[in-house]
Amino acid sequence: MYRERNRYSEFIEKDRMLNMSAESSTSDHRTDLTYHFGIDFGTTNSATVAYIKGTAGIEAREVTFGDAMGRPVPSVVAIDKKSGQVYTGRDAWDKKLELSESCEYISSIKTIIEKDEVFHIAGKEWTTTDIASRVFLGLREKAMEQHNVILSEATVAIPVGLAPEKRRKIREAAGKAGIKITSFVSEPTAAFYANYDELRGASNIAVFDWGGGTLDVCIIANANGKISEMATAGMNVAGDAIDRKIAERLHAKIARKKGKNISYQDMPATAKDMLRVRSERAKCMLSEDDTATVQINDYGEYGVCRETIDYDWFVDIIEPEVSSAIDCLHEAIRQSGLGIANIDSVLMVGGSSNLRPLIERMEEIFGDKLFFPDETAWNVAKGAAKLNMLPGGYYSNQSVGIELSDGSFFPVLSKDKPVAGYKAEFNFSVVDDSRQARFLFGGSEDIVKSDERFCSVPAHGFLQESMHMTVTIDKDMVFRAFIRSRMHPEEFQRMWEYPRLKCYYRLPESY
């Protein structure tokens, strides 16, 4: 009989075991070494990179923490509906369809993490942060298994403009796995920083990040170490969808050859998993070779199957996805107002950016402006780790303030102010005998056009009544103004919140 335990007890036990293992370890876990971790918490895959620094004079070295094949770890969690056993990482990914029959299979957890959804599995309640924490716990275990080191804190890369509620939930999920998020950094900023030595001479850079789950394009401006994100575009079609499409087309070829009319969807889950995994491998092979062979020794009723894919067939299959990806890049460039001629470099990151049909099309458009890092799948995590080791900081890229009764604008946050730990206090006076002091916020077009730019605060109706405002920016970069009359107790305080604060990243002075 399943005995329900406290929701967090298993995390506490795992944490205790990780710490005991680290304390007993003698290899590579030494007091003279410092690990600076960066995590790319992705929709489909999550990557962990660390820079290891020793004592003075010793150069930092970079290490990655991946699966047995040296790849990032899939961001998937499968929980057995009867036993409660949890599967994560590559094992869960390779058996996705098989496990889906007996498990609650959760993929793309980052897309639903902010929801208050509760999963009831094997007599236990799982929140979305509980499930996401399993992804982080898997990353933490990789660090211990591969380098005998505790991943206790990290800089985490997230998409541009990720909602504050999602940032909070990601921070909570990491915390449940024993990882403190010291700071967030946007994925394109992290990718650019990972290659800053090579790209520092470029003023306008298009970051083309095509992974397993999404394509994210960002146009950034680089001016003396100030990284500003000018425009973004994206789509939810990426490597995973291409793998499924190749598998379905291969199945159709097999069905025609074998003369049996069984659809791909009607195949056993284990067979579909095998074909999907082998399709992914063939896709990777065709980035270098002109042919790739897919062989399955037991493909359900079709038995032994062997198919050779040629490059032209592959190009025809994925042409719609490649065209959509290029259109997405053009849209981001259009939004930036720069035009293709003013893009100095296109930084290609993410596993799907290595697709040869994509590269051939991109070379026709951008020529030698394409830049490929050595390890595209690890690039964002590498930049996050680098920023953990040599941190810069976010600065406001706009002003936020209030409109005074004479029509003038008074900033309570000025442009170019560092946002980390920002706090400021102001005093204002009412100019009439109203029982409500109405504050009208502005500073950027989106605030001015918003119906939520007003904040009404209870007043006593006395002329020259003092109104006190405290402005803060929290660790998730949410701007808040707390306002109350000095003649009212604190329960009459009102808050105005602005979660879409526009910021830029300034690299450390050493860069």
Side-chain angles (χ1 to χ4, degrees):
M1 182 177 179
Y2 180 80
R3 181 169 61 88
E4 184 176 357
R5 297 193 298 169
N6 179 278
R7 182 189 304 172
Y8 306 112
S9 62
E10 59 189 291
F11 296 111
I12 296 171
E13 178 65 15
K14 289 253 185 191
D15 188 72
R16 186 182 70 83
M17 296 301 293
L18 282 168
N19 281 279
M20 287 177 61
S21 178
E23 289 169 1
S24 62
S25 171
T26 57
S27 63
D28 209 25
H29 184 69
R30 305 194 308 268
T31 57
D32 62 336
L33 294 179
T34 303
Y35 285 72
H36 299 272
F37 285 96
I39 296 175
D40 176 11
F41 179 57
T43 302
T44 301
N45 296 298
S46 292
T48 309
V49 172
Y51 277 94
I52 308 174
K53 288 187 69 177
T55 53
I58 298 178
E59 289 289 327
R61 60 188 174 95
E62 171 195 323
V63 294
T64 60
F65 303 87
D67 63 12
M69 299 292 290
R71 298 168 295 181
V73 180
S75 306
V76 296
V77 177
I79 308 169
D80 191 278
K81 296 174 183 177
K82 293 182 178 179
S83 68
Q85 183 176 350
V86 179
Y87 305 86
T88 61
R90 187 64 57 184
D91 290 340
W93 177 254
D94 286 349
K95 299 178 180 178
K96 177 179 181 179
L97 299 176
E98 178 185 354
L99 289 175
S100 295
E101 295 182 346
S102 60
C103 300
E104 188 74 44
Y105 196 96
I106 303 101
S107 57
S108 304
I109 184 63
K110 189 171 75 171
T111 63
I112 63 169
I113 193 172
E114 82 281 9
K115 296 181 179 180
D116 293 327
E117 186 174 358
V118 176
F119 296 82
H120 297 273
I121 310 169
K124 179 181 175 181
E125 291 186 350
W126 291 79
T127 65
T128 53
T129 52
D130 290 332
I131 294 167
S133 70
R134 284 295 187 154
V135 176
F136 282 104
L137 188 61
L139 300 178
R140 195 165 189 247
E141 289 173 341
K142 288 291 182 187
M144 175 55 63
E145 292 168 5
Q146 297 175 10
H147 277 268
N148 297 306
V149 64
I150 298 176
L151 197 176
S152 58
E153 61 179 45
T155 294
V156 175
I158 56 174
V160 176
L162 190 70
E165 181 62 13
K166 282 193 175 184
R167 294 179 218 163
R168 187 183 68 78
K169 289 292 186 73
I170 290 172
R171 194 184 293 277
E172 180 183 340
K176 287 183 178 182
I179 302 173
K180 176 185 177 183
I181 297 180
T182 54
S183 63
F184 287 116
V185 64
S186 76
E187 290 166 0
T189 293
F192 175 67
Y193 190 38
N195 303 281
Y196 188 65
D197 288 341
E198 295 84 358
L199 297 176
R200 66 194 310 157
S203 297
N204 300 312
I205 303 97
V207 180
F208 186 92
D209 185 356
W210 204 13
T214 62
L215 167 64
D216 297 292
V217 180
C218 182
I219 311 302
I220 62 177
N222 169 45
N224 299 318
K226 174 183 173 181
I227 303 173
S228 302
E229 291 149 358
M230 302 171 63
T232 60
M235 66 180 192
N236 294 322
V237 177
D240 298 345
I242 291 172
D243 297 340
R244 288 193 300 271
K245 189 176 185 181
I246 295 171
E248 290 170 357
R249 300 280 69 78
L250 275 173
H251 175 88
K253 290 183 68 174
I254 292 169
R256 288 193 298 271
K257 182 182 292 186
K258 297 281 187 177
K260 295 182 179 181
N261 190 22
I262 305 172
S263 72
Y264 176 75
Q265 295 302 325
D266 290 335
M267 292 295 291
T270 53
K272 287 188 286 186
D273 277 331
M274 282 190 288
L275 185 57
R276 179 179 54 84
V277 170
R278 284 162 175 74
S279 295
E280 179 190 14
R281 293 175 185 170
K283 177 188 71 175
C284 296
M285 292 174 62
L286 287 166
S287 289
E288 296 182 359
D289 301 327
D290 291 332
T291 61
T293 299
V294 174
Q295 179 165 328
I296 301 177
N297 294 328
D298 183 13
Y299 189 52
E301 292 191 32
Y302 289 108
V304 178
C305 297
R306 180 185 175 90
E307 289 292 331
T308 297
I309 305 172
D310 64 58
Y311 182 67
D312 290 338
W313 181 87
F314 176 60
V315 172
D316 288 341
I317 290 294
I318 70 168
E319 193 280 332
E321 288 76 17
V322 169
S323 292
S324 295
I326 293 173
D327 289 345
C328 192
L329 174 56
H330 282 302
E331 173 60 19
I333 295 173
R334 185 195 66 78
Q335 290 181 23
S336 72
L338 291 174
I340 291 177
N342 293 312
I343 298 295
D344 300 315
S345 182
V346 180
L347 173 56
M348 305 287 286
V349 296
S352 297
S353 66
N354 291 311
L355 292 171
R356 182 153 50 122
L358 169 71
I359 295 172
E360 290 172 349
R361 291 275 302 278
M362 294 281 276
E363 285 178 338
E364 293 175 2
I365 303 168
F366 295 98
D368 61 1
K369 293 182 179 181
L370 296 185
F371 179 83
F372 290 87
D374 291 335
E375 296 179 308
T376 57
W378 296 95
N379 216 247
V380 172
K382 177 180 176 181
K386 202 172 181 182
L387 288 167
N388 187 285
M389 179 176 63
L390 299 169
Y394 276 103
Y395 290 73
S396 60
N397 207 21
Q398 67 174 99
S399 294
V400 180
I402 62 171
E403 294 184 13
L404 301 180
S405 58
D406 62 0
S408 62
F409 177 76
F410 182 86
V412 295
L413 171 69
S414 299
K415 190 176 179 180
D416 299 319
K417 287 287 187 181
V419 301
Y422 183 83
K423 183 177 181 180
E425 297 188 26
F426 305 91
N427 288 300
F428 301 93
S429 295
V430 297
V431 295
D432 57 28
D433 58 357
S434 171
R435 305 291 290 188
Q436 293 285 328
R438 196 181 196 200
F439 286 78
L440 185 62
F441 285 86
S444 63
E445 185 177 359
D446 63 318
I447 297 177
V448 172
K449 290 183 177 180
S450 172
D451 294 333
E452 301 173 352
R453 63 183 302 209
F454 305 100
C455 182
S456 292
V457 183
H460 264 289
F462 298 144
L463 293 176
Q464 303 303 314
E465 182 177 357
S466 177
M467 309 296 292
H468 182 71
M469 176 188 293
T470 300
V471 172
T472 64
I473 301 176
D474 70 11
K475 56 190 175 183
D476 293 325
M477 292 193 293
V478 177
F479 173 100
R480 292 185 178 92
F482 302 89
I483 317 167
R484 72 177 179 91
S485 168
R486 289 191 178 275
M487 302 182 72
H488 270 304
E490 287 192 6
E491 57 261 34
F492 288 90
Q493 177 175 274
R494 298 293 181 265
M495 180 188 73
W496 184 81
E497 183 176 271
Y498 180 48
R500 298 174 298 278
L501 185 66
K502 288 170 277 296
C503 302
Y504 63 86
Y505 198 91
R506 184 174 292 282
L507 299 179
E509 292 185 3
S510 58
Y511 277 80

